[in-house]
Amino acid sequence: MQGMKKLGVGAFALFSTLSARADYTWNFPEPVTPMALDTLHVHNKFMLITAVIFVVVLAIMIYSIITHRKSKGYKPVADKAPSTTVEIFWTLIPFVILLLIDFVIMGIPAYHSVVMMEDTRDQSTMVIKITGSQWRWQYEYLDGDAKGIKFVSNLATSDGQLHNTEDKGEHYLLEVDNPLVLPVGEKVRILMTASDVLHNWWVPQFGSSRVAVPGFIRETWVQVEREGIYRGQCKELCGKGHGYMPVVVNAISKEQFAEWAGKKQAEQQAANDVKEMSKDDLLAQGKTVYEKNCAVCHQVSGAGLPPAFPALTGSKIATGPIFGADGKYAKDSHLDRVLNGKGVMPAWKTTLNDTEIAAVITYERNALGNTAAVDAVLQPAQVKAARE
């Protein structure tokens, strides 16, 4: 009786959790691109075929076990080996059947899906270059209404959530400051590369995944059919910040996209206009740039993670002179290191604009426990001149 009570309590506990699992799915995420939909159809077809094979083989096994069991008086033929012809027959026939299933029933739809995944030429109306870096994505629109727009997408989850001093948000580790924006219904060709190690730009509902390889350009395409915000991640192990490299795509109507592109181009033009800035303004903007791009390696405090990521606090680079006697920036100076990188330090000259580089260098030289005696403030015009 006591055992029945325990069983009843266990059953109640099991079924009482079903409401909490109501949104759990055993299938793929809902597809929003033709590629994802085709992949889902092929997957379902393959699952049906393998299920039928499983049931048939299991049925034959069960029949053989029941029919040839000792309790029924079945006696194995131990004194006579099967003929070579029979051995060849029951080996070749299943082989031919499986060959037919693999290459005809399953091979043809799989071939169609692979061709669809690889064909980036057909009617693509826009080209976007995506560059993976530790641990952020850079997006660059190469043509169309948004031509020339270029920005970096960083994790936007707060430091408090990461260190458990704040409650986790709904999209914990899956939120960014600058999402990729795409127009609905347009086929977008994507060029993929990386600046340091292997990365993989992956949104489950898009049905496509491509490894970004340093020094190589790889291709894929996306055509989002429904408006919405879609989230993914880098799914290639890429270092300590691998879990902090989300992908967020905002799919909007063509009209909204054209409006967004116009505003973004105007913003970037204004940001690229070289102007004199006060030290306070540089420090304020530099703090934002630093926390978005540099803190993941050098830490918010500037203490770094030696020896891989050296400390900025007390660093000779962050407190030493930037320019030589000739007025040009010196090799291995603070500006040289930020512009051109060194070792695991990436080059930021293609990622940040003149104002952002001037601001973050000024911040690093006057904050994080540093007080630079020379070249304490760097202006955007000086960065622009250093690029030339």
Side-chain angles (χ1 to χ4, degrees):
M1 188 66 180
Q2 187 68 22
M4 290 297 292
K5 286 183 178 179
K6 290 182 178 179
L7 182 62
V9 171
F12 174 78
L14 173 64
F15 289 107
S16 66
T17 62
L18 291 181
S19 59
R21 298 171 181 266
D23 61 344
Y24 190 87
T25 175
W26 292 98
N27 213 326
F28 284 20
E30 185 178 6
V32 295
T33 67
M35 189 188 300
L37 185 61
D38 186 75
T39 303
L40 178 61
H41 288 165
V42 171
H43 167 268
N44 290 343
K45 184 175 183 179
F46 285 6
M47 286 296 293
L48 181 61
I49 293 171
T50 54
V52 170
I53 295 173
F54 171 79
V55 170
V56 170
V57 173
L58 183 63
I60 293 173
M61 289 176 60
I62 293 174
Y63 168 79
S64 180
I65 292 170
I66 294 175
T67 304
H68 303 104
R69 67 187 189 275
K70 183 178 180 181
S71 61
K72 287 191 64 175
Y74 183 83
K75 296 188 178 185
V77 182
D79 57 347
K80 184 179 178 181
S83 68
T84 302
T85 303
V86 172
E87 292 281 358
I88 293 174
F89 176 79
W90 71 32
T91 300
L92 286 181
I93 294 302
F95 174 76
V96 171
I97 292 173
L98 290 176
L99 202 65
L100 180 67
I101 292 173
D102 286 343
F103 284 92
V104 179
I105 300 177
M106 298 174 75
I108 291 175
Y111 173 78
H112 172 268
S113 294
V114 171
V115 170
M116 174 185 278
M117 290 179 182
E118 297 297 331
D119 184 12
T120 62
R121 302 166 298 167
D122 183 31
Q123 298 178 348
S124 59
T125 58
M126 185 186 305
V127 180
I128 296 176
K129 181 182 177 184
I130 300 177
T131 304
S133 303
Q134 293 176 311
W135 291 273
R136 61 192 59 82
W137 299 101
Q138 179 177 287
Y139 301 112
E140 183 177 1
Y141 295 77
L142 302 181
D143 61 4
D145 292 339
K147 183 177 181 179
I149 293 177
K150 182 178 180 181
F151 57 87
V152 176
S153 180
N154 290 287
L155 175 72
T157 299
S158 68
D159 192 65
Q161 291 184 43
L162 295 178
H163 293 89
N164 297 317
T165 58
E166 299 175 8
D167 292 337
K168 299 291 192 289
E170 179 185 359
H171 302 297
Y172 176 67
L173 296 184
L174 290 175
E175 51 195 340
V176 298
D177 53 357
N178 293 309
L180 176 66
V181 180
L182 297 178
V184 168
E186 297 286 344
K187 183 173 181 178
V188 180
R189 182 185 177 201
I190 293 178
L191 306 180
M192 195 90 58
T193 189
S195 63
D196 37 42
V197 299
L198 297 179
H199 298 281
N200 194 318
W201 193 84
W202 176 60
V203 178
Q205 288 179 272
F206 289 179
S208 63
S209 171
R210 189 72 74 198
V211 175
V213 183
F216 292 85
I217 295 291
R218 308 195 70 204
E219 297 181 80
T220 186
W221 62 274
V222 168
Q223 182 176 327
V224 186
E225 301 292 353
R226 284 206 313 273
E227 293 184 27
I229 296 177
Y230 305 101
R231 303 177 190 275
Q233 294 169 298
C234 174
K235 71 183 188 83
E236 189 77 26
L237 189 59
C238 57
K240 65 174 282 291
H242 169 63
Y244 308 108
M245 197 172 171
V247 176
V248 179
V249 178
N250 185 14
I252 57 180
S253 68
K254 297 176 184 178
E255 296 75 19
Q256 290 175 314
F257 180 80
E259 183 181 351
W260 170 84
K263 290 181 179 178
K264 195 72 174 178
Q265 287 167 336
E267 288 176 7
Q268 292 199 173
Q269 183 58 48
N272 289 331
D273 290 339
V274 177
K275 57 183 180 296
E276 193 82 7
M277 297 178 67
S278 69
K279 182 178 179 179
D280 289 341
D281 288 341
L282 286 167
L283 287 173
Q285 184 169 348
K287 184 175 187 294
T288 301
V289 175
Y290 178 85
E291 291 178 351
K292 283 185 177 181
N293 298 284
C294 312
V296 66
C297 295
H298 295 292
Q299 306 299 293
V300 174
S301 65
L305 292 170
F309 307 113
L312 291 178
T313 302
S315 164
K316 291 181 180 179
I317 291 178
T319 57
I322 295 177
F323 300 100
D326 59 357
K328 296 181 179 180
Y329 73 90
K331 183 175 175 57
D332 280 332
S333 66
H334 200 166
L335 179 56
D336 178 55
R337 192 62 59 87
V338 173
L339 281 176
N340 303 310
K342 185 175 181 179
V344 297
M345 168 80 172
W348 290 95
K349 62 184 176 184
T350 60
T351 305
L352 301 178
N353 60 41
D354 297 338
T355 301
E356 290 170 327
I357 290 178
V360 75
I361 289 178
T362 300
Y363 176 75
E364 290 172 353
R365 299 176 72 79
N366 294 275
L368 309 176
N370 292 330
T371 304
V374 293
D375 300 328
V377 175
L378 189 67
Q379 290 294 336
Q382 294 173 295
V383 179
K384 183 178 181 179
R387 292 181 188 269
E388 298 172 348

